[in-house]
Amino acid sequence: MKVEILYFADFKDITGKDGEFLELKENTVEGLASKIFSKYNPIKNLIWDDEIKNLKGNISIVINDKLITNKIKGKMELIDGDKVAFLLPFAGG
Amino acid sequence: MNNNNFTQVKSGIYEKDEINLGNIIFSLRNHPKIKDVGSILTFTGIVRNTSKDGKLIRNLEIDAYEELANRSINKICKKIKEIPGIIDIIIVHFKGVFDIKDELVHVVVASSHRKEGFRALNLAVEKYKKETAVWKKEVFLDGSSEWVH
């Protein structure tokens, strides 16, 4: 299945892109994260906590422009065509 | 005041310099309830030449998740407008690349009296800082840069 991932701020600098479509074998947020890590290793340090084997606590995830507040974000399932973004804490001007 | 061809400024994310504080105040002065307004208070965030830890800044970059940020800004405005005495509020946040002194954000509150206006303005500023999907990158004089979180 294919999902669209959007990149903002640090993510945009690391990838050099606003976003892209990625083909996933595993239909979870974790599956998407590991696909991204294999392409852009520095993103792992940014969002992944190896101790808890999940996204860091300060990382938000947005699926189809909806902010997800579920604590076990990594296990959430994705479906074909979903638009996903990982977000670091906000800092307005 | 001539209201022909008048378009109300909408709160949200805009490109740098797309509109200015004058446009926002003009918009509020054309509000249908302008006769109930006794004060228009403004907050403008601009680019300072140092980071929080004192490093010298060359310029600043603002990135935004527009769909999400616009939704949060509108939610904040709706909440502020529920406060008694607040007639209207417009929040405009710019994105792009900014030099020192450039304007980054305007928060403008029209209220019946100044006291509730100042309180609402303060609340709106604190809320947009925490709740809006906007990020800033400080580019330092030595060429290094850092996203602020």
Side-chain angles (χ1 to χ4, degrees), chain B residues 17-74:
Chain B
D17 295 333
E18 201 177 335
I19 56 172
N20 61 39
L21 184 58
N23 302 140
I24 300 170
I25 292 173
F26 182 81
S27 179
L28 286 172
R29 291 184 64 215
N30 281 277
H31 192 282
K33 289 187 180 171
I34 187 62
K35 287 180 182 169
D36 297 333
V37 173
S39 76
I40 294 179
L41 300 170
T42 77
F43 165 84
T44 297
I46 68 169
V47 182
R48 194 180 48 237
N49 72 344
T50 52
S51 66
K52 267 188 182 168
D53 54 7
K55 254 179 122 176
L56 286 173
I57 287 174
R58 188 172 67 205
N59 56 26
L60 202 76
E61 186 181 326
I62 298 280
D63 195 13
Y65 187 158
E66 286 194 44
E67 292 87 346
L68 212 61
N70 284 333
R71 211 185 306 147
S72 305
I73 286 173
N74 284 314

Side-chain angles (χ1 to χ4, degrees), chain A residues 9-10 13 65 88-89 91 93, chain B residues 63 65 71 128 134 137 147 149:
Chain A
D10 314 61
D13 280 357
D65 296 329
L88 284 154
Chain B
D63 195 13
Y65 187 158
R71 211 185 306 147
Y128 93 73
V134 169
K137 180 164 78 172
W147 287 97
H149 296 298

Side-chain angles (χ1 to χ4, degrees), chain B residues 59-123:
Chain B
N59 56 26
L60 202 76
E61 186 181 326
I62 298 280
D63 195 13
Y65 187 158
E66 286 194 44
E67 292 87 346
L68 212 61
N70 284 333
R71 211 185 306 147
S72 305
I73 286 173
N74 284 314
K75 202 170 150 192
I76 293 166
C77 291
K78 188 168 178 271
K79 190 96 188 154
I80 296 292
K81 279 190 264 190
E82 287 169 4
I83 299 172
I86 303 303
I87 310 299
D88 203 0
I89 173 170
I90 297 176
I91 301 176
V92 164
H93 203 303
F94 298 109
K95 65 171 200 166
V97 178
F98 301 83
D99 294 323
I100 305 301
K101 300 190 292 183
D102 280 350
E103 294 170 352
L104 297 169
V105 59
H106 298 297
V107 180
V108 186
V109 174
S111 58
S112 298
H113 304 279
R114 68 183 186 284
K115 280 187 181 170
E116 65 261 29
F118 278 119
R119 276 197 297 269
L121 183 65
N122 188 47
L123 180 62

